[in-house]
Every structure is written in C-alpha cells, then in structure tokens.
Amino acid sequence: ILPDVSELDPVIFREFYPERFHESNGTLRDDDGDTATDVLFDGRVLVYWRGYSQEVTRGRLLLPKIDYLQASLVQRSAAWIKERLDEIEVEIFRAFMSQSRKIRRAVR
C-alpha cells in the first residue's frame, strides 16, 4: 500500500525546517552534512508526537487546597443566590400575571 501524496504541499517541510536544507542548492542535508534522502513522504507530511512527563509536588499542598475551598465556596454561594433570585422572579411573574388577569376581567 502506497500513500497518495500528490495533493500534499511539496514545500511544507522546507517552510518548517529551513535549517535542514543546503543554502547553496536547496537540497536536503543529513546531520553529517551529506544530502539526505530519507524524508518521510518526500517532505510533504509533518509528523509531531507528544511526549509524556510527570509533575512532582512536595509539601502539604496548602495553597491549592485553599484555592479549591475558595472556589467551592464561591460556587455554592453563587448557586444559592441564583436560586433565591429565581424564586423572586417566579413570584414577580405570578403577581404580574394575576394583576393582568384582573385587569383583563375588569375590561370585559
């Protein structure tokens, strides 16, 4: 199975890695200065990979814990306030609808 690279950009490798080419003739060079011929898909494809690492933290993690507690407190407070505002909104809406019904009946 051979990949079809005819529609891919032939100069993308040169745009991303200009240091890998000879300045004089524009040919690709090896690490030891010779001309390289083993470029993946004729330099029409860029391949990136992501490595994995680990993060080590020492200590009691006091600041992240305080930050978490603060965020949790703010979130719960905002939720409580929103619930109360929703209740007030419902009461105002019901009162408005009740008054509008009374006015509508009085007009008839």
Side-chain angles (χ1 to χ4, degrees), residues 4 23 31 39 45 47 51 73 90 93 103:
D4 181 19
E23 292 180 16
D31 291 335
V39 177
V45 176
V47 177
L73 178 67
V90 167
F93 179 75
I103 292 172

Side-chain angles (χ1 to χ4, degrees), residues 13 16 37:
F13 191 76
F16 278 86
T37 57

Side-chain angles (χ1 to χ4, degrees), residues 30-72:
D30 248 343
D31 291 335
D32 55 359
D34 296 332
T35 303
T37 57
D38 58 343
V39 177
L40 186 64
F41 300 115
D42 296 326
R44 295 174 184 241
V45 176
L46 296 176
V47 177
Y48 294 98
W49 64 89
R50 182 175 181 180
Y52 294 94
S53 65
Q54 64 182 2
E55 181 178 321
V56 178
T57 307
R58 299 179 193 273
R60 297 177 189 245
L61 303 173
L62 188 60
L63 290 177
K65 289 177 184 175
I66 291 174
D67 185 44
Y68 170 77
L69 291 174
Q70 178 188 9
S72 177

